């Protein structure tokens, strides 16, 4: 889960904790959107379960319309995945060094 607020980007447990108060700016299940067009039938089904609005991003694939740091942005599923994987890498590096 990736969440966006007026001040920061939240990942994992922090995003999950604020999903009720900030559902429209929380991206979840982004792996279901990877490489898919907005018009695809499975993406249309995913719209029902998505807490934030799905949109078409610059690359033509499905993504999320969120408000981050006071402005509306289109975040692609690839960007959300990259944010999440970066967080996992940082946690792993910290754990391995400690």
């Amino acid at each position: 889960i990736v969440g966006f607020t007026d001040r920061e980007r939240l990942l994992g447990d922090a995003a999950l904790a604020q999903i009720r108060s900030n559902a429209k700016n929380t991206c979840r299940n982004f792996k279901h959107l990877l490489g898919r067009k907005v018009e695809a039938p499975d993406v249309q089904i995913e719209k029902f379960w998505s807490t934030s609005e799905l949109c078409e991003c610059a690359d033509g694939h499905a993504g999320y319309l969120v408000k981050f740091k006071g402005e509306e942005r289109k975040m692609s599923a690839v960007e959300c995945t990259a944010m999440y994987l970066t967080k996992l890498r940082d946690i792993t590096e910290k754990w391995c060094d400690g």
Side-chain angles (χ1 to χ4, degrees):
I1 294 179
V2 179
F4 301 94
T5 68
D6 289 335
R7 294 179 306 198
E8 62 187 341
R9 177 183 72 194
L10 305 168
L11 295 147
D13 291 340
L16 186 61
Q18 61 90 44
I19 194 168
R20 285 195 177 136
S21 63
N22 192 22
K24 289 184 178 182
N25 294 316
T26 304
C27 307
R28 54 189 281 263
N29 295 337
F30 38 85
K31 65 181 178 187
H32 295 186
L33 301 180
L34 285 173
R36 307 221 186 258
K37 303 283 185 188
V38 176
E39 306 86 31
D42 49 340
V43 172
Q44 295 302 314
I45 293 169
E46 190 61 34
K47 274 187 178 185
F48 177 78
W49 299 106
S50 181
T51 56
S52 55
E53 184 180 342
L54 298 182
C55 66
E56 185 173 345
C57 291
D59 63 358
H61 293 104
Y64 299 93
L65 186 63
V66 296
K67 192 170 185 180
F68 180 43
K69 294 189 177 181
E71 63 182 54
E72 279 198 350
R73 292 188 185 182
K74 291 181 180 181
M75 295 289 185
S76 71
V78 173
E79 288 176 302
C80 291
T81 302
M83 291 173 199
Y84 192 70
L85 290 175
T86 300
K87 166 90 171 173
L88 290 176
R89 185 196 68 203
D90 293 345
I91 291 170
T92 304
E93 286 176 350
K94 191 176 184 181
W95 182 79
C96 288
D97 290 341

